[in-house]
Amino acid sequence: MKNRNYLLPVASIGVLALSLTACSGSTGGTASSGSAANTDCAAYSSYGKHDGKTVSVYSTIVDIEATNLEAAWAPFEKCTGITVKYEGSKEFETQIGVRAKAGNAPDVAIFPQPGLMADQARAGNLKEAPKAVSDLVDKNWSADWKKYGTVDGKFYTAPMLANVKGYVWYAPKTFKAKGWEVPKTWDEMLTLSKKIADDKAMKPWCAGFESGEATGWPGTDWIEDVVLRAEGPEVYDQWVSHQIPFNDAKIVKAFDKTGEILLNQGFVNGGFGDVRSILTTGFAQAGQPVLDGQCAMHHQANFQAANWPQGTVVAPEGDVWAFMTPPIDASRGESITGGGEMVGAYKDTPEVQAYLAYMASADFANNRVKLGGVISANKGLDPNNAQSELDKQSVKLLQDPKTVFRFDGSDLMPGAVGSNSFWKGIVTWINGTPSQQVADTIEASWPKS
Amino acid sequence: MEFIGGKLLQVVIALAVFAAIIGLIMLVVDKAPKSSRDKLTVIGFLAPAAILMLVGLVYPAIQTSFFAFTDAKGQPNGVDNFVWMFTQPEALVTLRNTIVWTVLVPLLSTGFGLAYAVFIDKARGEKVLKALVFMPMAISFVGAGIIWKLVYDYRGPGIEQTGVLNFLRVAMGMQPKQFLLDAPENTIFLIIVMVWIQTGFAMVVLSAAIKGVPTELVEAARLDGANPWQQFRNVTIPGIRGALVVVLTTITIATLKVFDIVRTMTAGNYDTSVVANEMYTQAFRAGEPGRGAALALVLFLLVLPIVVYNARVLRQQREIR
């Protein structure tokens, strides 16, 4: 029995060793080489050589979009020697805060909402962007875009990709057959709606705001478009930054103006029922009746292109096409709302800085947009790299210096409003609560600071 | 494939580590001097579970209680969160709905379950009949929510209905109805989903309990001239009292915590929110962890007496036997 004494220490060491190996188990890196094999590295020399270094990147982007993203930075990886360890998660919005707090932040995070980024910057987690990135953003983006990456006067994040909201989708064939013209102003759009409604063949509009726990967000896009077009960018900025209250008369007026379409039983909801059926119609299916000839128009961002059934031709003469929600006050010129991602860093090592500079460059924008499905507001982007007619048009709109661009307001507002009470407010509004009362409730939910 | 292999390896390693730690504990306990061996055995086997409980349950519970008295920025704000909970109209709707849920779901599920168990007792094809009602138990709450959302689906008059119930309504010449939008009855339509799931559970437990009632008692009652209702009332019910309490309390606790059904079907909109759903919304969507924690605390206080009562009844039962 004596010789069993060695068992305990040996067993202890064994257990310790086992648990250590379990902890170091990696989840497997990504090998994204792709077309990098025949890349000309001369264009990437300015980023320097960082052999054996890794940069971890965390974002909301998953599936095919993630694959394309990784493909877009593959040449950068090959030429600089940096390995980009990418991780995409649908839980990003809640997880990024938790991870930062727990000391487990990624090197780089791609934020879908400036509000969320600002929280991280104010908490002292984000590093200020290096000068090289700041210069690139000055060169490649409008001042508005730079503002979205700036918190309390310090510049943190460069914009990455963009989407354009406020498109009105329609079937060109139907318009042609009925002799309808694409409206140039809001009033023309209302007149057209009335004409279609009187025609009785179809409802002028179809809409769907159902999106699980985020139900209501397509409605916030409507309100934002109307505020920007009716009141102009100054009021819009005051509204999203709470310099005027949410229940200001101008905002309530915008609700009422939107209601002229959305709350009009005669105008909605083609293919689905009455006004309230907007709430139970999924946003991705809501546009379908445009193709079936049950409604004429559908308000949704450029990414609606992906919601049409397979084989639908998106082109000016195709099955569906889109015009930008027209100006309300024509003298103000073209205004658009949209969204985009912002790239921010939790570390300021040389390899991270090199990566940030690449992501802010025109090279990245061109590489990524070439792969299709997305656009960017980067002025260095060649519009011809956009893969669809609509994307080309959107890029031109974004790059046009005359275009007034404003970021999606609900993404800029504090989370308590932008991703909670504003959505809920839209839901109760469609369900019959008067505009003033809805605006009052949302105003009451604005966090006291 | 490489990915699956990696995960598999992790699982194997994790299991090996677990087995090794247990083995080590056994070895340590075995090596201990005889005098303190009993104590060490108890500590050795309870410690892992106790530590996990402390880290995973007790510590978060204390932390949550602390959070309940702080505002959105983490500063102490006294009982403001509780004032909000009992004064704001939308928070009051949440509390009202939770009460309606906890009254109706246990009563209806247990009632239907009991009735069904009695009627199919010793019937032909009892097993099949039982399986039919028990099957919803196997569906997750989220799955059930999605299924019933399709059942309640709405299309306007004159448009082909996609929801079963509205299809039937239209076939009978009625107007289609927005089942999920009209408060307050929409809460009832959500409650139906929970009852649908829980009836199977109540039925199975009660059916087993009914079979446990001694046949001599039932026969004696019949010989004394008791009619079926009297037999049921005076013999069966007292015989299954313990099972009834367990079923009622278990379903009540499940109902107090209901989250998935509301989340998937209405996301708490249209005045259908309940405490658990509001807790999540406040803490993670609205950025008000204090309010979320306060709601969690209230939920805990509501569940506590039921758990205590449940435990007491179970202990009394054991003493009788």
Side-chain angles (χ1 to χ4, degrees), chain B residues 36-97:
Chain B
S36 58
R37 190 171 293 173
D38 283 352
K39 237 188 230 162
L40 256 175
T41 312
V42 172
I43 294 170
F45 283 97
L46 281 186
I51 291 167
L52 286 177
M53 278 261 288
L54 276 175
V55 175
L57 208 66
V58 178
Y59 173 66
I62 293 169
Q63 204 182 26
T64 304
S65 317
F66 175 72
F67 276 153
F69 299 96
T70 60
D71 63 13
K73 292 202 171 63
Q75 302 299 318
N77 67 348
V79 292
D80 281 9
N81 294 327
F82 296 90
V83 171
W84 166 82
M85 200 188 308
F86 293 105
T87 54
Q88 284 296 306
E90 75 261 44
L92 282 175
V93 167
T94 302
L95 292 177
R96 181 202 72 191
N97 286 343

Side-chain angles (χ1 to χ4, degrees), chain A residues 36-377:
Chain A
N38 46 10
T39 309
D40 174 16
C41 277
Y44 296 87
S45 59
S46 61
Y47 303 113
K49 272 291 193 187
H50 307 269
D51 280 323
K53 296 287 190 332
T54 51
V55 174
S56 63
V57 179
Y58 186 44
S59 97
T60 46
I61 299 164
V62 294
D63 300 334
I64 175 84
E65 298 289 322
T67 314
N68 285 338
L69 198 57
E70 290 185 286
W73 63 54
F76 167 81
E77 285 184 281
K78 184 180 178 322
C79 296
T80 57
I82 295 174
T83 308
V84 180
K85 250 183 82 186
Y86 179 72
E87 183 189 352
S89 164
K90 292 260 183 204
E91 305 293 316
F92 177 88
E93 282 97 334
T94 39
Q95 282 304 309
I96 186 69
V98 175
R99 284 183 59 170
K101 213 179 236 175
N104 184 28
D107 297 342
V108 174
I110 304 174
F111 295 93
Q113 296 163 348
L116 188 63
M117 182 275 290
D119 288 346
Q120 287 294 302
R122 291 211 179 91
N125 295 331
L126 278 185
K127 301 278 183 227
E128 273 186 66
K131 188 164 179 314
V133 172
S134 174
D135 291 345
L136 273 169
V137 173
D138 285 335
K139 188 177 136 218
N140 287 335
W141 275 273
S142 68
D144 289 331
W145 276 98
K146 190 169 188 193
K147 213 173 64 195
Y148 303 127
T150 308
V151 182
D152 301 333
K154 290 178 182 157
F155 176 67
Y156 290 94
T157 55
M160 184 173 84
L161 302 168
N163 53 60
V164 174
K165 305 215 170 182
Y167 273 118
V168 176
W169 294 82
Y170 68 102
K173 276 179 211 147
T174 315
F175 267 54
K176 208 168 174 187
K178 301 266 185 186
W180 299 331
E181 293 265 329
V182 169
K184 300 272 187 307
T185 65
W186 180 273
D187 287 334
E188 278 183 40
M189 193 162 82
L190 279 185
T191 316
L192 174 65
S193 303
K194 188 147 189 322
K195 199 166 143 195
I196 297 172
D198 291 344
D199 195 33
K200 299 262 190 267
M202 64 178 80
K203 288 276 179 77
W205 293 90
C206 46
F209 292 176
E210 201 275 337
S211 178
E213 59 174 28
T215 298
W217 70 259
T220 65
D221 286 2
W222 266 102
I223 305 289
E224 287 153 12
D225 275 336
V226 172
V227 171
L228 180 62
R229 285 164 179 76
E231 307 294 340
E234 294 79 25
V235 173
Y236 186 90
D237 291 343
Q238 289 166 355
W239 175 52
V240 294
S241 59
H242 208 221
Q243 282 159 342
I244 59 169
F246 201 104
N247 52 357
D248 188 276
K250 295 180 189 122
I251 309 305
V252 177
K253 218 172 84 193
F255 269 83
D256 288 336
K257 199 152 190 69
T258 316
E260 287 172 18
I261 291 173
L262 288 180
L263 298 183
N264 187 332
Q265 294 288 5
F267 282 9
V268 287
N269 184 13
F272 297 105
D274 57 0
V275 165
R276 296 200 307 158
S277 69
I278 291 173
L279 295 174
T280 45
T281 305
F283 77 93
Q285 297 93 51
Q288 185 66 35
V290 168
L291 293 173
D292 306 341
Q294 289 175 296
C295 70
M297 293 176 276
H298 176 60
H299 178 270
Q300 187 56 275
N302 66 324
F303 50 69
Q304 169 69 20
N307 290 340
W308 301 112
Q310 282 250 311
T312 308
V313 181
V314 180
E317 306 292 324
D319 299 322
V320 280
W321 187 237
F323 60 86
M324 180 50 66
T325 305
I328 292 173
D329 179 351
S331 69
R332 286 184 192 276
E334 193 92 63
S335 334
I336 57 175
T337 56
E341 297 92 356
M342 348 234 34
V343 188
Y346 286 84
K347 265 195 194 146
D348 48 11
T349 56
E351 60 271 18
V352 167
Q353 300 207 348
Y355 175 79
L356 291 180
Y358 173 65
M359 293 303 281
S361 70
D363 297 332
F364 167 76
N366 281 307
N367 281 346
R368 174 62 191 93
V369 170
K370 238 183 264 176
L371 299 169
V374 295
I375 51 168
S376 170

